Amino acid sequence: MAIHTDWLQRYVDNVRTYLPARLREDAGNELYSDLQDQRDELEASLGRAPMESDILRLLQRKGHPMAVAAGYQPRRTLVSEPLFPLYLQVLKWTLLVIATVSAIGAVGALYTDEHPKLLSAAVGWLAGLYEGGIHAFAWVTLVFYLAGEGFSYRKVFANWNPRTMPNVIDHGRRIKRFDSSVEFVVTLLTMAWLNDVWLVPGTGEHSSLVLSAELSALLPWLNIALGASVLMSLYKLFSPFWTRSRLLSDAALNIYWLVMLAFLLSLNTPFSLEWRSGEVWQPSQGSWQVAVGIVIAITAWDLLENIRSLLRARSETGVERQV
């Protein structure tokens, strides 16, 4: 029975990932109750407890989680109801790709411009994102409108296998895309700044960033942490829900960051900005330690949340095994 309960709950959690927040709890509870009733009916018709293969066939007949989620949402006109959750996912991914590519272009323009201006770059990025977003919305909507006219969701998801469902934890609660977006932008710009790809606008074209010998020695290890953080934030943007493997990966990355931050906290005068005129600016020891201390607190809190989610998922699994 434990395996059956796990598959039913996994199915419900996957459906929840395609639902808006206002529907997620009620629709999930309703679906889980309906699945339990169907399992009981299956058990009565078989004259025995359903095996795992029986439960998987039941879920396959029920349909892909994305298509089931469509049934709990208001009816749309341009895009067919069964395809609407998939339409939203593709539209979001397309907009994220456009935003990422245009952001990289804006950062590159700042680096090559003799007089970099952050405000102008931000306005240009938003204008490009708006224009690209309008075109993406039009083309994606057109494609899904035509697909909805010619195909049904049963054809689209005909070969769906319930075993491919990710083991979503925390009952399908979404990762906030705003948080992932901020994490992506901050880590990407920090990586560009540390590697002298981009100077903070306003420091002038005659300035240069000079790292201390200790920070230069740590730079390859920091690049690993920053690169992994950029990839993790993108992963969370494209697929905004937690699984155990993702939580373990995120926890490992946070631990790695805490080790790096401990080294950074001990540095004295880690970097300086130098102008050709001979002027030099460098952070004071106190302000540097305060800044690193804040990042340590944020990272430690994120790690604590990882551990709490893992423990909560483990306790939920333990309860299922007792059923």
Side-chain angles (χ1 to χ4, degrees):
M1 187 68 69
I3 293 177
H4 299 167
T5 304
D6 176 70
W7 280 113
L8 296 183
Q9 187 64 60
R10 181 178 298 191
Y11 185 84
V12 172
D13 291 341
N14 274 263
V15 171
R16 280 175 169 151
T17 63
Y18 298 109
L19 291 171
R22 70 181 188 279
L23 299 176
R24 202 167 296 143
E25 191 66 26
D26 292 341
N29 292 339
E30 178 184 338
L31 176 61
Y32 188 73
S33 177
D34 180 54
L35 288 173
Q36 285 182 315
D37 291 340
Q38 292 184 39
R39 184 190 61 191
D40 294 339
E41 292 173 4
L42 179 62
E43 182 174 355
S45 64
L46 293 174
R48 57 171 174 80
M51 300 174 63
E52 183 183 52
S53 58
D54 299 321
I55 295 297
L56 292 175
R57 279 194 294 271
L58 185 153
L59 296 178
Q60 190 170 31
R61 289 194 299 271
K62 188 71 175 177
H64 192 284
M66 189 179 293
V68 173
Y72 289 97
Q73 301 184 62
R75 185 176 182 84
R76 275 81 181 184
T77 53
L78 283 179
V79 179
S80 65
E81 182 176 318
L83 290 179
F84 192 79
L86 180 60
Y87 162 75
L88 282 183
Q89 290 293 103
V90 172
L91 185 60
K92 289 174 183 177
W93 294 342
T94 305
L95 293 176
L96 284 171
V97 169
I98 293 173
T100 302
V101 172
S102 58
I104 293 173
V107 172
L110 284 173
Y111 176 67
T112 56
D113 194 349
E114 293 184 357
H115 303 282
K117 296 180 180 179
L118 181 59
L119 181 59
S120 298
V123 171
W125 174 70
L126 289 173
L129 178 60
Y130 173 78
E131 183 179 358
I134 291 295
H135 289 290
F137 173 78
W139 281 108
V140 171
T141 303
L142 177 61
V143 169
F144 272 85
Y145 170 74
L146 295 175
E149 293 295 310
F151 300 97
S152 68
Y153 78 94
R154 294 187 182 277
K155 293 180 180 178
V156 175
F157 300 121
N159 297 321
W160 173 69
N161 186 348
R163 291 186 183 276
T164 62
M165 290 188 298
N167 189 11
V168 178
I169 66 172
D170 209 9
H171 299 298
R173 188 173 301 163
R174 286 176 176 264
I175 302 172
K176 294 181 180 178
R177 281 197 166 96
F178 176 79
D179 296 344
S180 300
S181 301
V182 171
E183 180 184 343
F184 170 72
V185 172
V186 170
T187 51
L188 186 64
L189 291 180
T190 302
M191 192 174 188
W193 177 70
L194 279 175
N195 290 274
D196 201 21
V197 175
W198 174 69
L199 280 176
V200 177
T203 55
E205 69 273 15
H206 299 300
S207 65
S208 60
L209 174 68
V210 179
L211 304 181
S212 67
E214 293 83 0
L215 185 54
S216 295
L218 285 175
L219 188 57
W221 304 101
L222 287 172
N223 281 332
I224 292 175
L226 288 165
S229 296
V230 169
L231 293 176
M232 179 62 73
S233 60
L234 278 176
Y235 197 16
K236 290 187 289 187
L237 277 169
F238 284 108
S239 188
F241 55 84
W242 287 116
T243 63
R244 287 182 178 85
S245 59
R246 293 182 195 179
L247 274 174
L248 288 171
S249 299
D250 199 51
L253 180 57
N254 283 325
I255 292 172
Y256 184 89
W257 262 118
L258 288 175
V259 173
M260 289 293 99
L261 291 168
F263 282 109
L264 292 176
L265 189 65
S266 64
L267 297 183
N268 184 23
T269 315
F271 68 90
S272 61
L273 285 173
E274 299 183 1
W275 284 261
R276 292 181 183 178
S277 61
E279 296 181 15
V280 177
W281 178 88
Q282 56 190 26
S284 66
Q285 184 70 10
S287 61
W288 171 255
Q289 290 180 341
V290 168
V292 176
I294 292 173
V295 179
I296 288 176
I298 294 172
T299 306
W301 177 259
D302 196 24
L303 176 60
L304 182 61
E305 288 296 308
N306 293 149
I307 295 173
R308 285 176 176 173
S309 297
L310 285 168
L311 291 176
R312 187 162 55 245
R314 183 177 180 181
S315 65
E316 289 171 357
T317 302
V319 170
E320 289 173 357
R321 288 175 177 172
Q322 294 176 6
V323 176

